Amino acid sequence: MSGLRDHKAQFDDASAQVLGVSLDSLETQTKFAESLKLPFPLLSDRNGKAATAYGVKGLLWAHRTTFVIDEGGRITAIFEGKDAIDPAGAVAACKSKSP
């Protein structure tokens, strides 16, 4: 998340909105966001509905995955594992879709 935070200007330049989603409670998400001074929202998916819909729900947690979704709601890029932590791919994917 800190990598996404540190590249916020690049996402802004591409007119992209960053959102974080996890199975953690809203209280946990709020504390985490405050501790990292995140400039974007973190959403709580306590029931795992979003994680299941996107195919990333494991037994106890969601697999770390970054999705780039265009304005039409289509997934245009997916980054998993270490690639989900490094924001470079997501930044590039967003920039390639920007006007």
Side-chain angles (χ1 to χ4, degrees), residues 41-78:
L42 295 185
L43 310 174
S44 175
D45 181 30
R46 287 299 292 161
N47 64 10
K49 190 172 181 177
T52 299
Y54 281 89
V56 298
K57 189 168 187 292
L59 293 175
L60 300 174
W61 58 83
H63 302 284
R64 187 176 304 273
T65 309
T66 296
F67 294 94
V68 176
I69 303 171
D70 71 11
E71 291 177 351
R74 293 177 302 274
I75 297 171
T76 60
I78 301 172

Side-chain angles (χ1 to χ4, degrees), residues 8-73:
K8 183 175 184 315
Q10 292 175 303
F11 287 108
D12 290 345
D13 289 346
S15 298
Q17 169 67 54
V18 175
L19 301 171
V21 182
S22 86
L23 300 175
D24 291 325
S25 69
L26 183 57
E27 179 182 357
T28 299
Q29 290 285 68
T30 300
K31 288 179 184 176
F32 183 69
E34 289 171 354
S35 74
L36 290 179
K37 296 181 173 53
L38 298 179
F40 49 83
L42 295 185
L43 310 174
S44 175
D45 181 30
R46 287 299 292 161
N47 64 10
K49 190 172 181 177
T52 299
Y54 281 89
V56 298
K57 189 168 187 292
L59 293 175
L60 300 174
W61 58 83
H63 302 284
R64 187 176 304 273
T65 309
T66 296
F67 294 94
V68 176
I69 303 171
D70 71 11
E71 291 177 351

